[in-house]
Amino acid sequence: MEIGIDSFAAAPVDKSVSSAQAMAELIDRMAFADQMGLNVFGIGQHYRKDFLDSAPSMILAAAAARTENIILTSAVTVLSSSDPVREFQNYATLDLISQGRAEMVVGRGSFIESFPLFGFRLDDYDELFAEKLELLLQIRDNETVTWKGRFRAQLHKQSVYPRPMQEKLPIWLGVGGTPASFKRAGHLGLPLMVAIIGGETHRFRPLIDAYRKAGAEAGHSPESLKVGIHSLGYVGKTADIAIDTYYPGYAKMFTEIGKERGWPPVTKDRFDDQNSHYGSMIVGNPAEVAEKILRHSEALGGISRFTFQMDAGMNHEQLMSAIELIGKEVIPLVNKA
């Protein structure tokens, strides 16, 4: 199983820390994750004051120059409001810089700021994504493309460069809880990255089964139908340290997001429920975290990748400590099991 981190490049909470310093620290963490043997590091894509990741391929390219082994991926590319041609060029270039370590996780995103920013209508939310995914996959699989759609200028025998180092740039489909999205990924034979940020992980099993069934019916091999999980989590030397470190920033961030979406404020009881035996959150000491990752994998019929979403109001030193524990203790425990 591949284990890594997804970061949204959170803007600094501490006003004494500049955005430039926060970005430098993020790239330091990515380099450190590579040194600690983590398998993958993903950067999200948002268009909000809270985050610094509106251009994730640039952050990943900076990390590529300082890393050797770790997979560098988007998490996710908001394809609905992006240009598939340009995104492919960005990640093909990243693949060349990183010597074949680039991937993309594409999805519709969970925030809407990019739609008015780039002149798209929310009413076209799903149609935009479906059309742009079709074009992206055509460009990935064919050097020269002829294509026509509703939302972008058509292409007629147009070649797209550069081509990546990898023969076929890996593209995962990032999903939340929409059944149609799981079936779409299976039909296309794309690996699936599931964002599970609430509820009980085992309840996603019917959706995972629907993905695998759709993939099999479309003629894709089981080996190509990989499943990954993206979950909120943090690792501390002890469970108490992990919870005391992670909870304040988590509560503040999700209470603020909740004001926009009509969620109630975060409470400690609710946090503890999410971090319980069946809850999706994974916050604890290395042994507890490794055990829960394995339990989630078993509940979903086996997963190929697990990524932590950790940077909720924590400082650089706290995040570096967690990366070290993941590399030195969590990954060996999962591999041994």
Side-chain angles (χ1 to χ4, degrees):
M1 185 191 303
E2 295 172 334
I3 295 179
I5 292 171
D6 290 332
S7 173
F8 295 166
V13 177
D14 183 349
K15 299 305 179 184
S16 68
V17 178
S18 68
S19 293
Q21 181 181 338
M23 187 66 75
E25 290 175 346
L26 170 59
I27 295 169
D28 284 345
R29 292 196 294 274
M30 297 173 77
F32 187 58
D34 184 49
Q35 296 167 18
M36 290 295 101
L38 274 69
N39 304 111
V40 59
F41 208 112
I43 299 293
Q45 188 172 45
H46 299 83
Y47 299 89
R48 299 167 61 89
K49 186 177 181 180
D50 321 59
F51 307 112
L52 304 174
D53 61 349
S54 64
S57 61
M58 294 190 69
I59 300 173
L60 294 165
R66 293 184 51 190
T67 56
E68 296 180 358
N69 300 304
I70 199 165
I71 294 168
L72 300 168
T73 184
S74 58
V76 302
T77 298
V78 184
L79 194 60
S80 302
S81 54
S82 301
D83 179 22
V85 175
R86 198 63 180 137
E87 291 293 355
F88 178 83
Q89 292 171 324
N90 288 340
Y91 283 87
T93 303
L94 173 64
D95 201 52
L96 297 175
I97 295 170
S98 65
Q99 298 287 300
R101 292 184 284 126
E103 294 187 0
M104 297 180 72
V105 180
V106 300
R108 295 180 295 184
S110 59
F111 294 96
I112 63 172
E113 289 82 4
S114 62
F115 286 83
L117 184 63
F118 296 113
F120 294 107
R121 300 188 328 138
L122 276 174
D123 290 346
D124 299 324
Y125 186 77
D126 191 62
E127 291 83 356
L128 278 163
F129 181 74
E131 179 177 295
K132 293 186 176 189
L133 178 60
E134 175 195 348
L135 176 55
L136 178 65
L137 295 177
Q138 284 198 33
I139 296 169
R140 192 268 305 265
D141 296 340
N142 302 279
E143 186 172 324
T144 301
V145 174
T146 295
W147 176 91
K148 185 177 181 180
R150 289 178 54 204
F151 302 105
R152 190 198 187 282
Q154 64 181 328
L155 301 173
H156 180 67
K157 295 182 180 179
Q158 182 69 54
S159 299
V160 179
Y161 302 110
R163 306 307 296 179
M165 180 175 177
Q166 297 177 80
E167 182 176 349
K168 195 169 185 177
L169 184 72
I171 296 176
W172 296 59
L173 190 61
V175 300
T178 306
S181 296
F182 286 78
K183 293 178 182 178
R184 173 188 285 151
H187 177 74
L188 294 171
L190 297 177
L192 185 74
M193 196 68 190
V194 189
I196 304 179
I197 59 172
E200 298 177 337
T201 298
H202 69 273
R203 295 185 181 277
F204 281 76
R205 180 62 182 267
L207 295 170
I208 301 294
D209 289 344
Y211 159 70
R212 291 178 171 134
K213 180 181 179 183
E217 290 175 348
H220 301 294
S221 67
E223 293 76 21
S224 67
L225 301 173
K226 297 189 291 185
V227 175
I229 299 177
H230 159 103
S231 288
L232 298 165
Y234 182 75
V235 189
K237 292 181 179 179
T238 69
D240 287 343
I241 290 174
I243 292 168
D244 290 346
T245 302
Y246 188 78
Y247 175 71
Y250 162 82
K252 181 177 180 181
M253 175 179 287
F254 279 87
T255 295
E256 288 300 314
I257 293 173
K259 291 177 183 177
E260 301 176 14
R261 302 191 178 186
W263 301 341
V266 174
T267 65
K268 185 59 165 54
D269 285 344
R270 180 59 178 160
F271 172 86
D272 290 338
D273 182 58
Q274 291 294 299
N275 198 39
S276 64
H277 185 84
Y278 293 110
S280 62
M281 193 176 296
I282 301 185
V283 180
N285 64 43
E288 292 170 332
V289 166
E291 180 184 358
K292 196 166 188 182
I293 291 172
L294 291 165
R295 189 160 63 245
H296 285 345
S297 179
E298 182 179 2
L300 298 179
I303 63 173
S304 301
R305 177 177 292 181
F306 178 86
T307 56
F308 292 87
Q309 209 289 309
M310 296 195 305
D311 49 359
M314 289 183 292
N315 62 40
H316 179 58
E317 290 71 25
Q318 292 167 334
L319 293 168
M320 289 284 273
S321 175
I323 290 170
E324 183 173 8
L325 289 170
I326 292 168
K328 289 186 175 180
E329 299 191 40
V330 174
I331 289 177
L333 285 169
V334 171
N335 287 340
K336 182 179 179 181

